[in-house]
Amino acid sequence: MEFVSGYRDEFLDFAALLFGWFHKFVAERRAVGTSLEGRWRQLEAQIRKLPQDPALWVLHVLPNRSVGISLGQGAEPGPGPGLGAARLLGDEPPLHLRDLSPYISFVSLEEGEEGEEEEEEEEEEENGEEEGAGTKKVETEEDGEPAPSSRESPQEPTPPGEPEEAEQEAGGGEDGHEDRAEDELGPERRKGPRSDAAPLHLSCLLLVTDEHGTILGIDLLMEGARGSTGRGSGAENLARRAYALLCHSMVCPMGSGDPRKPRQLTVGDAQLHRELENLVPRLGVKLAKTPMRTWGPRPGFTFASLRARTCHVCHRHSFEVKLTPCPQCGAVLYCGEACLRADWKRCPDDVSHRFWCPRLAAFMERAGELATLPFTYTAEVTSETFNKEAFLASRGLTRGYWTQLSMLIPGPGAPRHPRGSTPSLSLLLHGDPCQPFQGYGPALMPPVPPDSPRGLFGSWQDYYTWRGLSLDSPMAVLLTYPLTVYYVITHLVPQSFPELNIQNKQSLKIHVVEAGKEFDLVMVFWELLVLLPHVALELQFVGDGLPPESDQQHFTLQRDGPEVSVRPGSGVSARLSSGTKEKGVHRDLQIKVSARPYHLLQGPKPDLVIGFNSGFGLKDTWLSSLPRLQSLRVPAFFTESSEYGCVMDDQTMAVATGGGTSPPQPNPFRSPFRLRAADNCMPWYCNAFIFHLVYKPSQGSGARPAPGPVTPAPTPTAPPAPARRRRGEKKPGRGSRRRK
């Protein structure tokens, strides 16, 4: 698939942005540092002429003593140490943070350090004797972490008036941060059950932001001593590095906007503030009288979401080149005519932009329809410049299930799934205002009345009104998953498969295929029992992306009491206060987990299969799972985050089974948050469109070919689909047997 905006973890785009800017910064810092003093004079004169940014800029000094980075280590196979930016920016970038586990992982530096120092010192002495003078020797500091070698120290840019001397901190070497990391890890190894190579220690992070949280520049200090005291000559080196970082952040800001200088600068470290007092005025920038003493200059400070975009072809960021959309479709971003022509003439023809341009133009016309939602915050969250991190932080939504939506990731030792934490479940069910369900709980929100008709809600407006929710509540972002299931059961299955009579069934077995984030939000599916109280529901989450330790688990969400408890061996049991018992109302939701691809699942046939934001073309297991669904011939509905994804799914279904997909339709219960796209301007929303699989008729062996370039301007909601037998029509030679 050409575009992965709706499928790739936002944190990876953010990491690619940071590494891309840092790589450019290191290269240019090296060039300036090896030039004459006049080059610095020219750079300072250039910055003094820049327009002034009215916002306050902040230089953050963030020490790190507890988290290390392990490169290329662990039981999982993978290439050698080092994580190049190409793995984040290349033609086949990773889609999930877990995809980087063979190359990089975070480890705690606080565990297991005691009692290891003597072993490490003895081992290093042996290595030094065996390897001779030609190999670098890593020395250890008092905390047991490797210290930088005094040999081959890189040169740092030296501002005019400062003596040029060798730096001791790593990170500015001849080949930049990544090569330094690889050289440092060399043949030295740790003993015991820990990683074979010593974890890389990012001792300090220099970060330039504006007062709103937009990141403008970054510098990484690897293995360097950092602290308020005892820095010695390293403090002078830190000041020069900070000065170089400030200059580059003004000339080439990482975030959005043209080159500019701040009206005023404040520094988050008292000693560094004093050391910059004579340097910053050279740039025509006013330094605050006192250093910043708190994390941010204002209580609502938060790092902004991704703002820099990339060229679709060469992946260069907007801080490197000027990006413009295709003049015809306005959907794809390019850095210039060369990349646009290259994409236009790609082979084969059905992957070229010449083929996709009219289709993408039709997709762009749906942007207004997808942004039509009843919430008070709709204009903000559907904007192309939507700052999701700031939105969540401003509402205190930074814990519990809301972390699944942000770029916040757990540190080493933190539980991965909030569902496994009893406090999180308790807060979830009792409606803590800072937790996922603001006001959600049976005591505050009554269940569906017994005589309430099914299929009542076809929009967020209807559901919110019935549920007693304010249109200012962002709960729709989480409830999009159970409400989509509800919509499929009550609206789409009766329309597309009326012979199943699903509305009269008293029990339903539903398979949620290729589940990942949905299982992380498992408690939100409790809302299905509120919406469908007379149906016994069993949800089975299936997918090889699920945690292996959850495989074959079976647990129940119950409505029998006010407390939340965890029972060993049976999973989680959430008991909710329900008031008086109602005849025929089911009070439990059965949950099963199978951590394997769907085609390897064994068990009874389900009544319904559902997949969220599937992306058939992004995972090879779909080429086996789709034929499995073809053999089961059960109703299978899938959502996608864009019409582009729906077209690609139709093509994959054709290749895998000879079948196809139904024309996609907008999902009325899509998430209101617009997903940020790095290389395009298309509207992406979680669960934006719904379609169902159209199975190939049983007779015949010919497979339908994948759609080709049939029309220059196809309609946006009708990708090419094969001719298919009408539902209810008898099959030749098979009597009146109906499809199951």
Side-chain angles (χ1 to χ4, degrees), residues 58-65 203-209 219 221 225-228 231 238-239 242 245 266-273 275-276 291-292 294-295 303:
V58 184
L59 174 59
H60 303 271
V61 183
L62 308 176
N64 168 47
R65 300 180 181 86
S203 62
C204 184
L205 177 70
L206 295 178
L207 198 64
V208 180
T209 73
D219 193 7
L221 278 69
R226 177 72 184 93
S228 300
R231 289 187 295 182
L238 182 65
L245 175 63
T266 183
V267 181
D269 180 89
Q271 185 171 344
L272 183 59
H273 181 276
E275 293 157 358
L276 291 175
M292 182 181 67
T294 58
W295 163 246
F303 290 131

Side-chain angles (χ1 to χ4, degrees), residues 208-273:
V208 180
T209 73
D210 65 13
E211 60 184 297
H212 307 294
T214 302
I215 298 180
L216 303 167
I218 185 174
D219 193 7
L220 310 175
L221 278 69
M222 310 303 299
E223 299 290 352
R226 177 72 184 93
S228 300
T229 60
R231 289 187 295 182
S233 61
E236 299 177 2
N237 295 332
L238 182 65
R240 292 200 299 273
R241 292 185 66 147
Y243 184 74
L245 175 63
L246 289 170
C247 292
H248 196 71
S249 300
M250 297 176 197
V251 174
C252 182
M254 183 189 305
S256 59
D258 296 325
R260 59 196 185 276
K261 62 182 180 181
R263 169 185 57 83
Q264 188 176 24
L265 173 73
T266 183
V267 181
D269 180 89
Q271 185 171 344
L272 183 59
H273 181 276

Side-chain angles (χ1 to χ4, degrees), residues 431-721:
D432 186 299
C434 292
Q435 290 302 312
F437 288 86
Q438 296 179 336
Y440 178 81
L444 300 175
M445 303 173 63
V448 179
D451 57 349
S452 181
R454 300 180 185 181
L456 178 63
F457 311 114
S459 68
W460 282 121
Q461 177 80 54
D462 294 340
Y463 169 76
Y464 263 55
T465 300
W466 170 81
R467 206 67 169 93
L469 297 173
S470 167
L471 290 176
D472 190 54
S473 170
M475 285 168 45
V477 183
L478 297 177
L479 290 174
T480 177
Y481 297 101
L483 266 294
T484 296
V485 177
Y486 166 80
Y487 183 69
V488 168
I489 294 173
T490 58
H491 289 71
L492 300 185
V493 174
Q495 293 173 8
S496 303
F497 303 92
E499 68 276 9
L500 298 180
N501 199 21
I502 195 171
Q503 287 181 305
N504 291 328
K505 291 198 172 193
Q506 297 183 356
S507 64
L508 288 175
K509 297 182 186 298
I510 302 174
H511 287 178
V512 183
V513 296
E514 290 300 332
K517 180 183 293 184
E518 302 80 37
F519 186 48
D520 291 341
L521 302 172
V522 65
M523 288 298 296
V524 303
F525 288 94
W526 170 259
E527 190 70 9
L528 286 173
L529 284 188
V530 180
L531 292 162
L532 303 170
H534 299 285
V535 181
L537 293 172
E538 178 186 293
L539 298 182
Q540 184 163 358
F541 294 85
V542 187
D544 56 359
L546 294 170
E549 62 271 15
S550 299
D551 188 35
Q552 301 302 310
Q553 282 192 359
H554 178 194
F555 55 93
T556 305
L557 307 184
Q558 297 178 332
R559 297 179 65 182
D560 293 332
E563 75 281 357
V564 176
S565 62
V566 178
R567 296 190 308 216
S570 60
V572 178
S573 175
R575 296 189 175 90
L576 296 164
S577 173
S578 59
T580 59
K581 292 188 177 181
E582 302 160 0
K583 184 178 180 180
V585 174
H586 294 273
R587 304 180 183 284
D588 52 40
L589 177 63
Q590 301 294 321
I591 303 292
K592 293 183 178 180
V593 186
S594 296
R596 64 196 66 188
Y598 190 75
H599 62 277
L600 299 180
L601 178 68
Q602 302 294 326
K605 183 178 177 179
D607 298 295
L608 179 65
V609 172
I610 290 181
F612 297 98
N613 307 298
S614 305
F616 293 167
L618 293 173
K619 198 170 184 180
D620 292 340
T621 54
W622 281 114
L623 297 177
S624 300
S625 297
L626 291 173
R628 170 65 173 163
L629 290 170
Q630 166 92 16
S631 65
L632 293 175
R633 306 190 74 85
V634 296
F637 286 79
F638 295 88
T639 69
E640 279 294 358
S641 53
S642 71
E643 283 185 282
Y644 168 81
C646 296
V647 174
M648 299 304 297
D649 288 350
D650 181 73
Q651 293 182 0
T652 305
M653 180 67 178
V655 171
T657 69
T661 64
S662 66
Q665 58 179 288
N667 177 11
F669 293 106
R670 60 190 173 274
S671 168
F673 280 12
R674 180 165 180 164
L675 303 176
R676 194 60 191 265
D679 61 350
N680 65 87
C681 304
M682 285 185 285
W684 301 78
Y685 294 85
C686 181
N687 300 326
F689 293 90
I690 305 181
F691 63 88
H692 65 82
L693 300 185
V694 178
Y695 300 120
K696 184 182 70 172
S698 299
Q699 71 275 11
S701 57
R704 188 193 67 152
V710 290
T711 58
T715 57
T717 57

